[in-house]
Every structure is written in C-alpha cells, then in structure tokens.
Amino acid sequence: MKKTTGALVGLCVAGPLLLALPILGIGAGTASASCSTDGAQGGDVSSVAKQVKAILDGGDKGSVSVPGLDAPADQVPNAKTIQATGVAMNLPARGQVVALATALQESGLRNLTYGDRDSLGLFQQRPSMGWGTASQILDPVHASTKFYEGLKKVSGWQSLSVTQAAQAVQKSDFPEAYAKWEPLATALQKAIEPLLQKAGGASPSPSPSGSADTGSPSPDSAGGCSADGDGTDFGTIPAGALPDEYRIPASAPPKVQTAIRWALGQLGTPYQWGGTCTGSHGKNPMGRCDCSSLMQGADQAAGVTLTRTTYTQVKDGKAVSVDALKPSDLLFTEGTAAVPEHVGMAIGQGLIVHAPHTGDVVRITTVASWKSRILAARRVGPTLL
C-alpha cells in the first residue's frame, strides 16, 4: 500500500474469502456455459478421443464407490470419461477436479439432452455460443475436450480456486456455485486415478495442490524450479501471468500453500490503492487489491491475522535474511526499512507475487529483480504456525 494521508491508512480491512452459496438445483435453470472456446489448444477432438478410448480400454476395470453420488451407474462412467480426457490432454489432477466439479454443478454428471436455453450435455455447453453442434456437445469426449481447452486459456488457472477456474471457463450466472462440489470432485478424481494410470502408458498426474505424485519429479527439484532460486530461469514473465513451470512448493506447510494459492488467484486483477482485496474480480474498484491488502487477504485465507498496511506489516512476525527466504515470507521495498511503502510475497522458486501500483495488475516478479531494493524481509503468518 502506497504512502498517503493518515486518514485512510488502516481503514481497509480485508474481508472473508469467497463463500459457497446454498446448493443449487441441477439441470434446466442452473448455470450454463456461455462463452466460446473456439480453437484446439488441446489437440483435435478425434485424436483426443482415440487416446481416451485407449486409456479407458486399457485401464483397470475395478469399480468406483464414492459417497455422495445419487446415480453412480450413470455418473461414474461420465466422470471416468472426463478424467481420461484430462489425462489424454496432459491436464494435471487439479484440472480434472475443476472439470468434475463443473460437471457436478451443471448436470449432476449426467449427459443431459436439455438445459437452460440451448444448453446441453455434461457441462451445459451451448451450440449458439460456439461449443460445437448439439450432437458434438452430447459426446462426452468432445464436451470434456472443449472444457479443458477453455481452462488452458485461463492464465494461471493452476493456482485459482476451483470456483474461480470453473467460472473463468463457464461464465456462469451463479459464479460461486462450484465450490460446494470440490470435496466430491476430489474424492472422485482420487478414486478414478488408479484405474487410469495403467492405460496407454499414462503417467501419474500432479496432485490438486500442484505437487507431483510418487514417480514424478518434485517441483522443488525439477530443472529450473529450485525453491531457493532467484527466478531468473523463468525469463520475462508477462503481466498477470504465472509461468507454466511454476508449482506451489509441495514441501511447504498446507497453510502456506493456501496463502500462496489465494494470492495467485488475484493475478491479472487491477491494482487499487486502498482496495480491500475482497472482490478483486468484481466491478467495485475498492474490492480490488493494493500491495498490503493482497498480503492480508492471502494470510487471512490461511487462517492467519495480518495487519493492514506496509507500515505495520513490516513489524509483524520476525525478521529473516533475504538469502534464506521461505514461501509466504514478505519482502518490503521503497521508502525506508522502518516505513516501507511496498510489499510482496515470496512464493518459492525465486518468485514474488505483488500488486505494483495504479495502472498495473497483480503480477509475478523475481527475487533477483528485487534483491538490490529489498529493505526488509519478514516471516509472518502461516510459515510461523
């Protein structure tokens, strides 16, 4: 938060995280996908369909039993197809969970031949909005492929909440409706995954937290992704983007991962001096983030209380060396060490997330680019728990 008159400093307290709304009905009248996903980032559908068939035919034929499904005989095969499509398109487990949660909300994991206006299928996609013809949308592989293509176009989707990622693709009239399905979608993904891993040489997918399963390289040791690097290996990072190679450090405590994921969920949103960071994706400018409210919101997501301004945050927690940073440590620049005017959060792999200034957006930068200007570093919040 930039220095300004004392009358406004400390008045903007970050509010609670997005909350799930009461459970909505499924089928006609629920949210429907209304954005076009033209393009073929995931490869052509016929090619994906061949891979999906091989994955399903070659996988374990064991049964899946997950509490919470009301018609598993219909729902499980559809869930398997959605997940196998994700495997075929190299989507990690978190992407598969997003897709499953979306289908649970939109159709109850049923391949519906009806819906709101011309919405159809597992994801209630609309022919009139460019998702394909009616017959194509009713093909589960086509529908899943188009959903994943849409997801891949969302910058930094890997670090968004399930609700944010699903809504970015679907543009639903009920933007918070997906959250309640995350537990069931996660349980389904975990139950189905062992049945697909043996198929067609498919390798294990990264877990929903962004870490890798056994047999995959650790994100802390993968080439160019060391947790204690300076970030220069990532090259130029576009505004509001998250490097594809980045993974939230698997070795970090769960609360640290939560804080980082929440902060990354604000990527690309406009800076607003004095903004509360309680609705950065909304229309109200004062719901957007400034540098210190971004830090406060991230720690609040992890269940930790952090003061509001850079002037007080620099006194929170304990001082640490810039050469011994851990994910979620706060780094202060501009002004003086006693009264800094800017703050960012270390997120591992030599990267920092911060809200820079008016006219810019929440973005990623490198520790290397900040190092000569860092006035203080503090270990605050979830790292200390």
Side-chain angles (χ1 to χ4, degrees), residues 95-120:
Q96 297 163 26
V97 168
V98 172
L100 290 169
T102 301
L104 280 163
Q105 166 60 25
E106 301 290 3
S107 68
L109 272 176
R110 296 171 175 85
N111 198 20
L112 300 177
T113 58
Y114 58 89
D116 177 44
R117 289 168 286 187
D118 57 338
S119 300
L120 298 166

Side-chain angles (χ1 to χ4, degrees), residues 62 86 105 150 172 206 233 246 268 381 383-384:
Q105 166 60 25
S172 167
D233 289 342
Y246 173 78
T383 308
L384 293 178

Side-chain angles (χ1 to χ4, degrees), residues 131-150:
W131 293 91
T133 65
S135 60
Q136 287 174 327
I137 291 171
L138 289 171
D139 172 8
V141 175
H142 174 96
S144 301
T145 299
K146 291 302 177 182
F147 177 85
Y148 286 126
E149 286 178 358

Side-chain angles (χ1 to χ4, degrees), residues 20-24 177 180:
L21 295 174
I23 292 178
L24 303 172
K180 63 181 174 288

Side-chain angles (χ1 to χ4, degrees), residues 9-25:
V9 173
L11 295 181
C12 303
V13 179
L17 293 175
L18 292 173
L19 300 176
L21 295 174
I23 292 178
L24 303 172

Side-chain angles (χ1 to χ4, degrees), residues 217-235:
S218 164
D220 290 340
S221 62
C225 296
S226 61
D228 58 353
D230 63 4
T232 53
D233 289 342
F234 290 102

Side-chain angles (χ1 to χ4, degrees), residues 3-381:
K3 185 175 181 181
T4 187
T5 59
L8 291 178
V9 173
L11 295 181
C12 303
V13 179
L17 293 175
L18 292 173
L19 300 176
L21 295 174
I23 292 178
L24 303 172
I26 295 173
T30 65
S32 60
S34 60
C35 65
S36 173
T37 56
D38 291 338
Q41 291 189 10
D44 107 77
V45 176
S46 62
S47 175
V48 172
K50 290 178 182 178
Q51 296 178 61
V52 170
K53 186 176 187 303
I55 290 169
L56 293 175
D57 289 348
D60 193 315
K61 303 304 181 185
S63 61
V64 173
S65 178
V66 176
L69 298 176
D70 56 2
D74 293 328
Q75 293 166 305
V76 169
N78 288 328
K80 283 185 175 180
T81 298
I82 291 171
Q83 195 159 328
T85 303
V87 172
M89 295 176 66
N90 296 314
L91 268 293
R94 185 164 182 80
Q96 297 163 26
V97 168
V98 172
L100 290 169
T102 301
L104 280 163
Q105 166 60 25
E106 301 290 3
S107 68
L109 272 176
R110 296 171 175 85
N111 198 20
L112 300 177
T113 58
Y114 58 89
D116 177 44
R117 289 168 286 187
D118 57 338
S119 300
L120 298 166
L122 292 169
F123 298 93
Q124 290 291 278
Q125 295 158 331
R126 298 177 59 193
S128 63
M129 300 304 294
W131 293 91
T133 65
S135 60
Q136 287 174 327
I137 291 171
L138 289 171
D139 172 8
V141 175
H142 174 96
S144 301
T145 299
K146 291 302 177 182
F147 177 85
Y148 286 126
E149 286 178 358
L151 184 62
K152 285 185 173 184
K153 292 178 181 178
V154 178
S155 177
W157 71 264
Q158 299 93 330
S159 296
L160 297 180
S161 68
V162 167
T163 290
Q164 290 170 324
Q167 172 64 6
V169 179
Q170 298 291 101
K171 301 294 191 294
S172 167
D173 291 335
F174 305 97
E176 297 175 15
Y178 304 102
K180 63 181 174 288
W181 298 110
E182 183 173 359
L184 180 54
T186 301
L188 267 172
Q189 194 280 332
K190 289 181 177 178
I192 292 171
E193 185 175 48
L195 307 184
L196 304 181
Q197 287 180 354
K198 299 177 183 178
S203 59
S205 300
S207 72
S209 67
S211 62
D213 292 329
T214 304
S216 299
S218 164
D220 290 340
S221 62
C225 296
S226 61
D228 58 353
D230 63 4
T232 53
D233 289 342
F234 290 102
T236 301
I237 303 172
L242 184 70
D244 289 340
E245 304 92 333
Y246 173 78
R247 297 291 183 273
I248 294 174
S251 58
K255 287 182 178 292
V256 170
Q257 294 186 33
T258 296
I260 292 173
R261 181 171 293 114
W262 192 92
L264 295 181
Q266 319 314 313
L267 281 175
T269 60
Y271 174 96
Q272 174 63 52
W273 185 87
T276 62
C277 208
T278 56
S280 66
H281 295 270
K283 295 180 180 180
N284 180 6
M286 297 314 295
R288 297 170 186 165
C289 309
D290 65 16
C291 65
S292 55
S293 66
L294 177 64
M295 304 299 102
Q296 187 185 49
D299 272 8
Q300 184 172 318
V304 174
T305 299
L306 182 67
T307 55
R308 174 62 180 87
T309 73
T310 55
Y311 313 143
T312 56
Q313 289 175 357
V314 76
K315 299 174 184 177
D316 291 340
K318 67 178 183 179
V320 294
S321 168
V322 176
D323 295 320
L325 294 175
K326 289 185 178 181
S328 84
D329 285 348
L330 302 188
L331 302 172
F332 296 85
T333 64
E334 304 179 26
T336 67
V339 188
E341 298 178 3
H342 191 60
V343 63
M345 176 185 289
I347 60 172
Q349 297 173 229
L351 299 180
I352 298 167
V353 61
H354 70 128
H357 52 73
T358 300
D360 208 335
V361 298
V362 176
R363 63 163 67 220
I364 301 295
T365 189
T366 65
V367 173
S369 68
W370 273 31
K371 199 160 189 180
S372 65
R373 299 182 287 115
I374 294 174
L375 301 169
R378 306 290 294 187
R379 186 151 297 154
V380 180

